[in-house]
Amino acid sequence: MIELLENERIDDLQFMGLKIIQNTDGFCFGIDAVLLSNFCKIKRNAKIVDLGTGTGIIPILLYGKSNAKEIIGLEIQEEVADMANRSIKMNCIEDTVKIINDDIRNIENIFEKGKYDVVTSNPPYMHANGVINVNDKKAISRHSIKCNIEDVLKGASYLLKPNGKLFMVNRPLRLVDMVYFGRKYNLEPKYIRFVHSKEGKAPKMVLMEYVKNAKSEVKILDPLYIYDENNNYTLEIEKIYSKKSVEETE
């Protein structure tokens, strides 16, 4: 029996019987995590690290959508990491998925260098400037208080094997930082996809795939639209939500 704390609930992910614990007073996962997990390409028996895992949504989804050998979620907030751990136990996937409660800036003391095939990250989008309560769960999840884009890219580069891949989602306003710090740490952007709420609207998110030590050549993919003219999910978004596998064939 999994214990639920105050303001917590269990949500059914409508996929392979997987569920997740979320705190209604904290920070619940959004469509960005779903889009990122489905943007990934995961080879069989891959070893994966999710940086800033939050509720553990990306490791749980990747468990269901791939044949990964090992998936580790790193989360700095003790309370949030505990919630993610309870979700892992609730789903009985502890043999593959683990949550570590630690700081990304301490990554060299946690993980062995260059041993991972894939890193994922849905990092805080906003600058920490003007944040009043630096210990607030929502503020930490949304603002670069405990880590920033450079921390994520530096950590990913440390973790990845040569030709390993990083998949990240962020806001377009951070695009220059995403490219600049990627190259600083030998992570070359290879695919970029902008996500728009509707046709005719400016992009609200950007998905990026990096490859470690790759040559400099990037492909801009077709834009992804979330809603149609009737404010319903587009067919492509519906397909993404129902996607069964992100496994990459050789």
Side-chain angles (χ1 to χ4, degrees):
M1 187 72 176
I2 297 296
E3 180 187 3
L4 291 181
L5 305 182
E6 186 179 1
N7 296 320
E8 288 184 348
R9 68 172 191 245
I10 297 175
D11 289 341
D12 190 338
L13 295 176
Q14 305 291 316
F15 179 67
M16 289 185 63
L18 294 169
K19 299 177 181 180
I20 191 167
I21 300 170
Q22 300 201 92
N23 189 318
T24 56
D25 194 38
F27 189 68
C28 298
F29 77 87
I31 192 173
D32 46 1
V34 177
L35 296 181
L36 177 61
S37 63
N38 285 284
F39 185 65
C40 292
K41 291 174 279 190
I42 311 294
K43 289 184 178 179
R44 184 176 290 269
N45 294 319
K47 297 177 73 174
I48 305 168
V49 178
D50 182 43
L51 298 175
T53 199
T55 61
I57 180 61
I58 291 173
I60 292 172
L61 288 174
L62 290 183
Y63 171 86
K65 292 173 182 284
S66 74
N67 286 291
K69 181 179 182 179
E70 178 183 29
I71 308 173
I72 301 173
L74 182 66
E75 173 56 44
I76 191 171
Q77 299 183 79
E78 183 176 358
E79 181 182 340
V80 181
D82 173 70
M83 184 166 59
N85 255 318
R86 284 183 283 124
S87 289
I88 302 309
K89 291 177 182 177
M90 177 177 62
N91 287 299
C92 301
I93 57 177
E94 304 100 308
D95 288 348
T96 303
V97 184
K98 294 177 174 57
I99 305 296
I100 296 176
N101 176 213
D102 213 319
D103 191 335
I104 190 173
R105 294 167 181 168
N106 190 38
I107 206 163
E108 294 181 10
N109 295 316
I110 310 169
F111 297 96
E112 201 172 345
K113 184 176 182 179
K115 294 294 182 181
Y116 294 89
D117 303 287
V118 171
V119 173
T120 57
S121 188
N122 180 8
Y125 292 153
M126 310 305 294
H127 291 287
N129 302 345
V131 176
I132 297 173
N133 184 359
V134 297
N135 293 312
D136 179 77
K137 291 193 296 292
K138 287 185 180 179
I140 291 170
S141 296
R142 293 188 174 119
H143 296 79
S144 302
I145 296 169
K146 301 292 187 180
C147 78
N148 55 37
I149 286 178
E150 182 172 9
D151 294 325
V152 171
L153 289 160
K154 181 180 179 181
S157 182
Y158 172 85
L159 291 166
L160 287 170
K161 300 174 179 178
N163 298 313
K165 295 180 179 181
L166 165 66
F167 298 92
M168 182 191 288
V169 62
N170 214 299
R171 294 280 175 87
L173 60 87
R174 311 307 301 276
L175 182 62
V176 173
D177 289 339
M178 293 170 74
V179 174
Y180 173 78
F181 289 117
R183 282 193 159 173
K184 181 177 178 179
Y185 295 105
N186 300 313
L187 294 170
E188 188 67 28
K190 302 302 289 183
Y191 294 95
I192 297 174
R193 190 171 199 189
F194 292 99
V195 182
H196 306 247
S197 58
K198 286 184 176 182
E199 285 194 51
K201 299 288 186 181
K204 61 184 297 185
M205 287 181 275
V206 58
L207 295 157
M208 191 174 295
E209 175 186 332
Y210 303 77
V211 177
K212 186 175 179 180
N213 299 337
K215 295 180 180 179
S216 56
E217 184 176 291
V218 65
K219 183 175 181 180
I220 307 297
L221 301 175
D222 289 341
L224 175 60
Y225 301 108
I226 299 174
Y227 299 106
D228 62 20
E229 63 275 9
N230 298 316
N231 294 318
N232 298 314
Y233 279 153
T234 60
L235 289 177
E236 187 168 10
I237 290 293
E238 289 182 353
K239 287 179 181 178
I240 286 172
Y241 267 92
S242 61
K243 192 174 182 180
K244 302 294 185 185
S245 174
V246 294
E247 185 164 324
E248 181 180 30
T249 56
E250 297 291 343

